[in-house]
Amino acid sequence: MSRYLCEPSYERDGVDDRRDQWARELPDVDTRGMAVLGRARRLTLLVRPQIDAVLASHGLDAGEADVLFTLLRAGPPYRLRPTELFKSMMVSSGGMTHRLNKLSQAGLIERRPAEEDGRSLLVELSETGRRTAEAAFREDMALEARLLAGLSDAEQEQLAALLRRLEGSLTADRQ
């Protein structure tokens, strides 16, 4: 019998099997991290293709969608400085430049001189970019709601709170 029991309504998974194997081979090693982080990694790998397909149906990859979504949630007039985008998305400046070039060529963003400093450019959603971002985001959130339908609303809130707490504890060490 497994050392790691699942709720009766859920089947064992590969993480349970691996933990059992490690418990036999190295019984003194605590594998609880694998139970959480291993599953988080597996979930990411499982849902990423579905999310990527939604974004691709709107002509976007994940990085480009991230830029458009960041501009959209900034609210009207849907514009930010490249450094604001860069800092909020934690990508290299070169990576940001590449994304902005692609989005500009696709007509989804425009780069405008800042009124207060003509040397500085602002990144702004075009009307096409705003419509694309909104449609892609709505479809992505509908997909994510379907993916989480196996959990009750209360379970989703609890899981989100636990993940927020875990992320907070991990990022506190970096500050």
Side-chain angles (χ1 to χ4, degrees):
M1 178 125 181
S2 168
R3 278 180 58 175
Y4 308 107
L5 299 176
C6 300
E7 285 188 41
S9 61
Y10 296 102
E11 293 183 29
R12 291 176 46 78
D13 64 11
V15 174
D16 293 317
D17 295 338
R18 285 175 189 81
R19 291 184 75 200
D20 285 346
Q21 291 166 336
W22 284 117
R24 277 193 314 275
E25 293 304 312
L26 300 172
D28 59 313
V29 175
D30 181 356
T31 61
R32 286 179 292 179
M34 182 186 303
V36 175
L37 300 175
R39 284 190 177 93
R41 181 175 186 276
R42 287 169 55 111
L43 287 170
T44 298
L45 294 172
L46 186 64
V47 303
R48 189 79 250 164
Q50 295 172 74
I51 293 170
D52 287 345
V54 165
L55 300 177
S57 75
H58 294 275
L60 303 170
D61 67 24
E64 295 159 357
D66 197 13
V67 172
L68 296 183
F69 294 167
T70 299
L71 290 167
L72 184 62
R73 74 174 182 263
Y78 310 112
R79 83 172 62 116
L80 294 169
R81 295 186 187 308
T83 54
E84 293 172 305
L85 284 167
F86 169 78
K87 288 179 182 175
S88 74
M89 296 176 6
M90 299 187 308
V91 296
S92 70
S93 60
M96 179 59 69
T97 299
H98 177 72
R99 289 179 188 180
L100 295 179
N101 287 341
K102 276 188 75 179
L103 291 167
S104 181
Q105 289 170 357
L108 300 175
I109 64 164
E110 298 169 359
R111 296 185 218 193
R112 301 181 183 275
E115 293 173 8
E116 66 279 358
D117 179 4
R119 297 170 297 166
S120 178
L121 289 178
L122 297 173
V123 178
E124 181 177 327
L125 280 177
S126 67
E127 183 56 33
T128 301
R130 190 195 61 72
R131 285 193 310 270
T132 299
E134 183 176 332
F137 185 75
R138 287 180 183 280
E139 191 174 338
D140 179 36
M141 290 301 100
L143 169 65
E144 291 184 23
R146 288 191 305 274
L147 293 171
L148 293 174
L151 299 175
S152 70
D153 290 348
E155 289 169 328
Q156 289 179 41
E157 290 293 327
Q158 181 182 20
L159 180 57
L162 290 169
L163 291 171
R164 181 184 309 110
R165 184 173 173 187
L166 176 59
E167 182 181 2
S169 73
L170 295 173
T171 56
D173 293 342
R174 292 181 165 179
Q175 297 174 0

